[in-house]
Amino acid sequence: MIKKLILPALLLSISIGNAQGKKTKTYEVASPEGKNKIQFQLVDNAPKYSVNHGKIQVITPSDMGFMLKNNEDFSKNFDVVKVENSTFDETWQQVWGEKKKIRNHYNQMVVKLQQKNAEKRKLEIQFRAYDDGIAFRYVYPKQGTKDSIFIMDEKTTFNLKEDGKAWWIPAYKENRYEYLYKDSPVSTLDTVHTPLTVESKSGLKLSFHEANLIDYASTTLVNNTGTQLKTDLVPWADGVKVRVKDTFTSSWRTLQIGENAGDLIESYLILNLNEPNKLGNPSYVKPFKYFGIWWAMHIGKYTFWEGEKQGATTDHAKDYIDFTAKEGLHHLLIEGWNKGWTPAWYENKMHMFSFTQSADNFDLDKVVEYGKEKGVELIGYHETGSNLINYMKQIDAGFALYKKLGIHTVKIGHVGSKLNMKEWHHGQFGVNYFRYVLQKAAEYDLAVFYHEPIKDTGERRTYPNMLAREAARGQEYNAWSEGNPPNHVVILPFTRMLSGPMDYTPGVLDVEIKQGYPGKRVHGTTAQQLAMYVCFYSPIQMLADLPENYAVPAFQFLKDVPTDWTDTKVLNAEIGQYITTARKDRNSDDWYLGSMTNEKARDISVPLTFLDSKATYEAQIYADAEGTDETHNPSAVAISKKTVKASDVLKLHLGGAGGTAVRFKKL
Ligand code: NOJ
């Protein structure tokens, strides 16, 4: 545990010498409470920055700048032209989210540089120091550059002062983001995706990521030497990293810094670095829970394609609509509703899906009409198969069809290793594609959730129709692979989920998957599946299981749990081991709690200090039954009730790979 080391806030520049004894000016910006500090200086005319948290140096002087085409080095030979400091403090409101009011409070330092050669190129580096981390980005201002600008490499490094344990997934792999996390020292990493979470030797919790990624390539991180992480921008197929005209603004390079694992989750730095809401509060964008004709396909009960076992038939759809209405939900996803599905749908091929023509045995108009009668809206589904040439030709027609039918949400999938079998999902091409679709969807009053997308960089602040995305190994792997081991679900909140809401598709209560493929199962308990709805944040949450598996008392929790919150608190957590999260419902005075553990059983005491101190609550507790763990009676949920107050301490027992979910109903 780190002691809090707070230095007084420092905003302006100071002057000191460099290591070689040659005098160079150091510019410094500290966060509002002085917790984090960034220093900038030119060393031999090359820009360098470093970062401190209290007295701990986190990043030692690290490189900045670019290599442009023709081997033009845009990382040295600079003069400082001007340094501007400012401070910013506002509290803004999320139209939906894990917390209603977010404070955006930082000190900024903008360093304006110019090269001393004939080109005289200008570069601006914007630094922001927050109390929960730091960020910086590059701006290439308009300066009459005639040629296109080709970035061949971004040279930014993060020289970690000390080694640490990193939780990582590999970059540049067939299955995009969908890998199990490994943990190993930073000094042994190859090329990895962000968010990259590191627990440093001194105990700090660090998350490296990026924010507000527009018309630029995504960043991966590569370790070439020691404890240095270097930016490795995902290239176009021809090797160029970024191609732009006149001007560019990189995404923010972000480093969240916490003293406890939960601090990373309670940090809103990524959102704060995105532009304010451009859409307002559109009535078509709403958080919700949904059922789907989906899990049945993944476990092999139905098929995505036409034929005897076809999932998306009018009859099945009507049954699911009846079930959805009976259980008080209002949204239903139906995959395989359209033409183009074949048994080879997941292979790397230029698949030709139609986004307007229904599959045989499926009458879209009739199903939509039936849903309307029952108060159930369909969720649109576009599986592109990563054939974006095909998709772009049809996107307007596909979205127009949904608009005509009164459909307001669309799930868009991108199965395939490369877009158009050519470009990485995370390259500039993909970055531009995913933002284009979001804006296009808004034109048709559609909210979006992506599968197989690029990583989240906080787009939902600017475009609240960006609901959630997958971008990690989700529940579906339990249906047809060796599955997600118990630690996966207690790593995700500290890694992938730091970037934004995830459509993990929880809620498989029949964890042994009795109707599924032999030997395939969920590697956790039913109570843990309930706890996910609180520990995993998403404005849309699937109730993924087959309807018949919800005929159990524990289902009540899933009916009750909301997906939109006023506040979020991580009560205790260790990365990859356990997490306990409490969230306050945005539409009532109730609180909810989820607690999850890895394979190890745990007893956890939770002080209920987050509750309103003047109120009394009924705690409705859904826990692993005695003796329950991943392999012993995993579906047994013990449901109990007790009256509690903020001064009480709740004792939880989690079985191995287990969990507890609690609703605190205000009395
Ligand atoms: C992968 C997605 O993650 C999953 O949700 C979907 O069912 C399949 N692709 C089919 O599109």
Side-chain angles (χ1 to χ4, degrees):
M1 172 79 78
I2 306 284
K3 271 196 259 146
K4 294 225 181 234
L5 298 163
I6 302 175
L7 292 176
L10 265 176
L11 191 59
L12 291 170
S13 65
I14 52 169
S15 199
I16 45 171
N18 76 1
Q20 288 80 44
K22 194 172 129 204
K23 287 267 179 189
T24 175
K25 194 160 179 177
T26 301
Y27 302 88
E28 186 173 282
V29 61
S31 63
E33 285 177 25
K35 291 186 184 173
N36 299 311
K37 200 166 65 182
I38 312 169
Q39 290 194 334
F40 173 85
Q41 64 180 155
L42 289 179
V43 175
D44 295 331
N45 302 108
K48 307 272 172 194
Y49 78 99
S50 53
V51 178
N52 273 61
H53 178 78
K55 285 197 175 134
I56 303 173
Q57 188 168 37
V58 183
I59 304 290
T60 62
S62 297
D63 297 343
M64 310 191 94
F66 302 90
M67 283 305 285
L68 304 180
K69 73 175 171 195
N70 302 327
N71 265 333
E72 187 185 332
D73 196 339
F74 192 38
S75 72
K76 58 186 191 196
N77 209 12
F78 283 106
D79 272 336
V80 172
V81 177
K82 206 175 185 190
V83 176
E84 290 167 348
N85 289 81
S86 58
T87 185
F88 188 84
D89 189 5
E90 70 163 8
T91 297
W92 58 280
Q93 201 163 309
Q94 292 205 87
V95 297
W96 48 263
E98 66 277 61
K99 187 178 172 86
K100 192 167 179 182
K101 291 192 175 147
I102 294 184
R103 187 169 184 197
N104 185 11
H105 191 194
Y106 61 84
N107 289 327
Q108 176 168 278
M109 174 169 76
V110 176
V111 179
K112 297 187 172 174
L113 303 171
Q114 184 158 28
Q115 277 188 311
K116 299 198 280 185
N117 53 15
E119 291 285 336
K120 293 209 175 325
R121 285 190 199 269
K122 292 182 189 147
L123 180 66
E124 195 175 298
I125 309 179
Q126 303 176 345
F127 293 98
R128 286 188 186 170
Y130 292 83
D131 286 312
D132 53 348
I134 64 97
F136 59 88
R137 69 175 173 186
Y138 302 97
V139 178
Y140 183 93
K142 278 203 173 154
Q143 48 196 287
T145 305
K146 295 263 172 342
D147 292 349
S148 295
I149 304 162
F150 286 20
I151 298 178
M152 306 308 289
D153 191 22
E154 185 187 311
K155 296 183 82 172
T156 309
T157 59
F158 302 87
N159 294 336
L160 274 99
K161 168 83 189 212
E162 51 184 18
D163 211 345
K165 179 167 162 183
W167 283 265
W168 59 275
I169 50 171
Y172 303 113
K173 295 280 181 208
E174 175 102 343
N175 285 331
R176 305 155 305 268
Y177 249 123
E178 297 171 7
Y179 288 91
L180 292 175
Y181 285 84
K182 293 194 177 145
D183 61 84
S184 35
V186 171
S187 52
T188 64
L189 298 182
D190 195 329
T191 312
V192 298
H193 273 300
T194 71
L196 176 72
T197 301
V198 174
E199 189 177 270
S200 73
K201 277 205 173 139
S202 49
L204 288 177
K205 313 291 188 278
L206 310 173
S207 172
F208 296 87
H209 189 45
E210 61 184 311
N212 201 20
L213 174 59
I214 303 174
D215 197 14
Y216 200 79
S218 309
T219 300
T220 64
L221 294 170
V222 60
N223 173 262
N224 294 323
T225 173
T227 52
Q228 180 191 81
L229 295 167
K230 183 191 166 296
T231 299
D232 184 42
L233 297 180
V234 177
W236 287 81
D238 64 4
V240 174
K241 302 281 174 80
V242 177
R243 31 168 54 93
V244 276
K245 282 209 174 97
D246 307 332
T247 172
F248 69 82
T249 301
S250 74
S251 49
W252 290 95
R253 277 77 197 81
T254 60
L255 171 54
Q256 286 155 281
I257 306 174
E259 298 186 356
N260 297 300
D263 294 346
L264 296 178
I265 297 172
E266 290 182 18
S267 159
Y268 297 94
L269 183 135
I270 303 290
L271 284 177
N272 277 333
L273 287 160
N274 275 265
E275 301 299 320
N277 187 344
K278 283 191 181 162
L279 293 185
N281 192 353
S283 59
Y284 64 88
V285 179
K286 282 200 182 66
F288 56 75
K289 290 176 288 195
Y290 67 101
F291 289 116
I293 302 187
W294 179 80
W295 188 238
M297 274 85 109
H298 284 272
I299 64 175
K301 180 181 175 195
Y302 293 156
T303 60
F304 285 97
W305 56 93
E306 292 153 331
E308 249 171 53
K309 291 205 308 177
Q310 181 177 342
T313 64
T314 304
D315 288 346
H316 289 156
K318 284 186 169 175
D319 289 348
Y320 268 75
I321 287 171
D322 288 342
F323 174 72
T324 305
K326 181 173 123 253
E327 300 303 348
L329 265 61
H330 301 286
H331 291 86
L332 177 68
L333 170 73
I334 303 176
E335 296 203 358
W337 70 273
N338 54 329
K339 282 276 178 196
W341 291 89
T342 70
W345 65 268
Y346 52 84
E347 288 176 8
N348 273 321
K349 280 188 190 161
M350 292 297 265
H351 299 277
M352 296 298 289
F353 290 99
S354 164
F355 301 98
T356 49
Q357 279 177 286
S358 299
D360 296 346
N361 311 315
F362 186 80
D363 187 328
L364 181 60
D365 288 326
K366 242 193 204 163
V367 170
V368 168
E369 209 39 53
Y370 190 74
K372 279 190 182 147
E373 281 166 27
K374 304 273 171 155
V376 174
E377 187 177 307
L378 290 198
I379 297 172
Y381 187 52
H382 286 178
E383 173 53 71
T384 66
S386 280
N387 181 348
L388 304 186
I389 299 169
N390 179 47
Y391 189 41
M392 285 299 105
K393 284 187 194 149
Q394 299 183 56
I395 189 167
D396 279 290
F399 283 179
L401 173 64
Y402 286 152
K403 185 158 186 188
K404 187 185 101 198
L405 295 172
I407 289 173
H408 296 103
T409 316
V410 58
K411 170 175 172 179
I412 308 176
H414 306 85
V415 168
S417 294
K418 292 199 174 165
L419 302 174
N420 295 332
M421 296 190 70
K422 187 175 171 202
E423 301 289 350
W424 294 113
H425 285 56
H426 283 92
Q428 188 185 8
F429 175 80
V431 167
N432 289 347
Y433 159 79
F434 283 104
R435 200 164 272 245
Y436 170 82
V437 173
L438 196 53
Q439 289 163 344
K440 170 75 56 188
E443 287 171 24
Y444 290 91
D445 293 352
L446 277 169
V448 171
F449 57 111
Y450 287 131
H451 275 229
E452 303 82 32
I454 51 164
K455 61 189 167 188
D456 199 322
T457 61
E459 293 86 337
R460 63 186 162 130
R461 178 170 180 198
T462 317
Y463 297 102
N465 67 327
M466 177 70 257
L467 294 174
R469 63 186 83 199
E470 187 186 38
R473 206 169 135 122
Q475 176 99 278
E476 63 199 37
Y477 276 77
N478 289 323
W480 35 255
S481 79
E482 75 282 12
N484 299 334
N487 71 351
H488 185 62
V489 294
V490 282
I491 295 175
L492 283 175
F494 307 97
T495 51
R496 153 69 185 86
M497 289 180 186
L498 296 179
S499 66
M502 177 172 178
D503 190 38
Y504 182 80
T505 62
V508 173
L509 302 192
D510 175 27
V511 290
E512 291 170 301
I513 318 185
K514 294 190 193 72
Q515 297 187 56
Y517 296 114
K520 307 296 174 208
R521 57 159 302 175
V522 175
H523 298 275
T525 68
T526 297
Q528 187 187 66
Q529 289 285 313
L530 304 182
M532 285 176 185
Y533 288 81
V534 187
C535 294
F536 293 174
Y537 170 65
S538 177
I540 50 152
Q541 292 277 27
M542 189 177 213
L543 274 57
D545 213 341
L546 305 176
E548 54 266 42
N549 293 332
Y550 287 127
V552 291
F555 182 49
Q556 186 59 43
F557 183 79
L558 298 191
K559 289 172 95 170
D560 294 337
V561 68
T563 61
D564 198 17
W565 310 98
T566 303
D567 203 3
T568 286
K569 290 178 194 293
V570 180
L571 306 178
N572 53 59
E574 282 301 335
I575 306 171
Q577 296 182 49
Y578 61 91
I579 180 167
T580 307
T581 308
R583 302 195 201 260
K584 180 160 193 272
D585 182 13
R586 203 178 275 204
N587 297 304
S588 78
D589 290 325
D590 297 351
W591 280 83
Y592 288 77
L593 176 147
S595 188
M596 294 165 49
T597 178
N598 60 1
E599 61 288 344
K600 206 172 144 206
R602 284 172 214 274
D603 291 294
I604 294 178
S605 293
V606 184
L608 301 181
T609 45
F610 55 90
L611 296 175
D612 174 356
S613 60
K614 293 186 209 78
T616 308
Y617 296 80
E618 179 182 78
Q620 303 167 357
I621 306 167
Y622 301 76
D624 292 317
E626 215 184 311
T628 285
D629 64 19
E630 182 192 345
T631 48
H632 301 94
N633 213 9
S635 291
V637 180
I639 305 176
S640 62
K641 288 185 178 161
K642 56 158 74 149
T643 305
V644 296
K645 289 204 172 75
S647 52
D648 291 332
V649 173
L650 193 64
K651 290 196 171 9
L652 311 178
H653 173 76
L654 318 184
T660 300
V662 186
R663 176 188 186 189
F664 296 95
K665 190 170 162 29
K666 195 166 175 183
L667 296 173

